[in-house]
Amino acid sequence: MTVIRALLLLVLALAPAVAQAGPEATLDKVRRTGTLVLGVREASYPLSYLDGAKQPIGYHVDICRGIALAVKSHLGLAALEVRTEVVTSKTRIPRMVEGAIDLECGSTTNNAARQALVAFAPTTYVASVRIAVKKSASITKLAQLDGKTVVTTAGATSVQLLKARLQGRNIKVAEAFGNDHADSFRMLESDQAAAFVMDDNLLAGLIASSAAPKDYEILPQTLNTEPIAIMLRKGDPAFKALVDQTVKAMMASGEVGRLYAKWFLSPIPPMNAALNFPMSPVLASLIKFPGDDPAEAFRPEE
């Protein structure tokens, strides 16, 4: 009994230390390993996606590579290996929290619920949540979705936003979830869903890279306006300070504006087509006056 009691006391004594242990501070980890890991997406056009050679490219990937250069300089490293790992809407936060990735360079909305788990760089894109449909369906307004299947990507909140807008209108939709954005679009493409609800830039990118872009349209109604930002671990003030400083410097120098023009206004892979998405006044203001406010600070357009 004495031995058991002693072991129990030892476990109890160690418990607080174990509970407090978390991922190593990012800059310490990078200094020790010489590696920075970026979480990227397969089809978050044009923020983060894979090209024809399965290499990650995109607006946020370029910004993350700029942050990687700043990390290398800050730590005085002769070389820095920048590795990438594909994450999904479902895995991105768990992989960040457990320390598997150091920056998530995708299409993640900064909101209050997520801020309880992770941290965000200053906002670098502002998305409008909208609805893509096939032109042949002749859907022009939300009421026409009554009784139909609406798809979004697992881990996203888009259908909930749609249902909130439909409350009180006696309109009901069936929910479907794709494993990733490309999977969700395939459900719209194959008529398994009548509509795909997602950030407008992602919808535009998926349509532009589809086999028949002219078959689709994005409805004008905006369900919500959401700040999109690069994600990093919570409780890592030194790394957050460096990330924030770097992104703000890229904004002040005009680099973010140049990258925006490259990815949103110019022809991009894989179809060499331009999205033609001019920068919104909200994003232009946030580049001039950077911030990391969550989505709750924004108001949907009516």
Side-chain angles (χ1 to χ4, degrees):
M1 256 333 248
T2 304
V3 173
I4 294 175
R5 186 179 293 109
L7 289 172
L8 179 59
L9 290 173
L10 179 60
V11 169
L12 291 173
L14 291 174
V18 172
Q20 292 174 11
E24 184 178 7
T26 305
L27 293 177
D28 291 342
K29 174 187 173 185
V30 174
R31 184 184 290 108
R32 176 177 58 80
T33 63
T35 302
L36 183 73
V37 185
L38 310 182
V40 298
R41 303 295 296 273
E42 287 188 298
S44 286
Y45 301 93
L47 304 179
S48 179
Y49 64 104
L50 303 183
D51 65 12
K54 299 299 182 182
Q55 295 302 306
I57 58 174
Y59 173 66
H60 271 168
V61 174
D62 280 355
I63 293 176
C64 279
R65 293 195 185 281
I67 296 171
L69 288 175
V71 170
K72 178 185 175 185
S73 175
H74 178 79
L75 295 177
L77 300 176
L80 175 64
E81 179 187 2
V82 180
R83 293 198 297 105
T84 60
E85 175 182 321
V86 173
V87 295
T88 68
S89 294
K90 290 191 292 186
T91 65
R92 57 190 168 182
I93 290 178
R95 294 298 281 166
M96 177 63 69
V97 171
E98 67 193 20
I101 59 174
D102 303 310
L103 290 169
E104 193 264 340
C105 318
S107 54
T108 302
T109 298
N110 173 0
N111 61 32
R114 287 171 178 159
Q115 282 194 1
L117 301 170
V118 294
F120 290 91
T123 298
T124 38
Y125 185 70
V126 177
S128 294
V129 179
R130 293 168 66 188
I131 303 167
V133 297
K134 279 188 173 179
K135 292 179 181 178
S136 60
S138 299
I139 295 172
T140 59
K141 52 188 178 181
L142 300 185
Q144 291 173 287
L145 294 175
D146 187 30
K148 293 182 170 58
T149 298
V150 176
V151 66
T152 193
T153 304
T157 59
S158 303
V159 170
Q160 286 83 349
L161 289 170
L162 173 62
K163 292 174 76 173
R165 290 293 291 270
L166 297 179
Q167 283 178 358
R169 302 187 192 181
N170 295 318
I171 299 171
K172 295 183 179 180
V173 298
E175 299 177 48
F177 299 94
N179 293 321
D180 53 33
H181 299 319
D183 190 37
S184 296
F185 187 79
R186 280 191 291 270
M187 295 182 71
L188 175 63
E189 194 172 39
S190 62
D191 296 318
Q192 295 177 67
F196 178 14
V197 187
M198 187 48 62
D199 298 350
D200 53 1
N201 62 290
L202 302 182
L203 295 175
L206 289 160
I207 290 171
S209 62
S210 70
K214 293 182 180 179
D215 289 354
Y216 304 90
E217 62 183 342
I218 301 174
L219 300 185
Q221 293 94 336
T222 296
L223 302 180
N224 203 25
T225 300
E226 301 191 343
I228 310 297
I230 291 164
M231 185 169 63
L232 56 149
R233 265 183 295 286
K234 189 177 178 67
D236 195 345
F239 188 53
K240 169 133 173 82
L242 179 59
V243 170
D244 287 2
Q245 175 187 331
T246 303
V247 172
K248 289 176 181 179
M250 293 176 73
M251 289 175 168
S253 71
E255 180 63 13
V256 167
R258 288 189 287 273
L259 290 176
Y260 188 96
K262 171 185 174 181
W263 291 104
F264 288 89
L265 302 175
S266 307
I268 59 172
M271 304 298 286
N272 201 36
L275 300 188
N276 293 319
F277 256 64
M279 185 179 292
S280 68
V282 176
L283 180 56
S285 177
L286 285 169
I287 289 176
K288 189 174 181 180
F289 305 103
D292 59 1
D293 289 335
E296 287 75 10
F298 294 73
R299 293 291 182 267
E301 299 173 14
E302 293 297 336

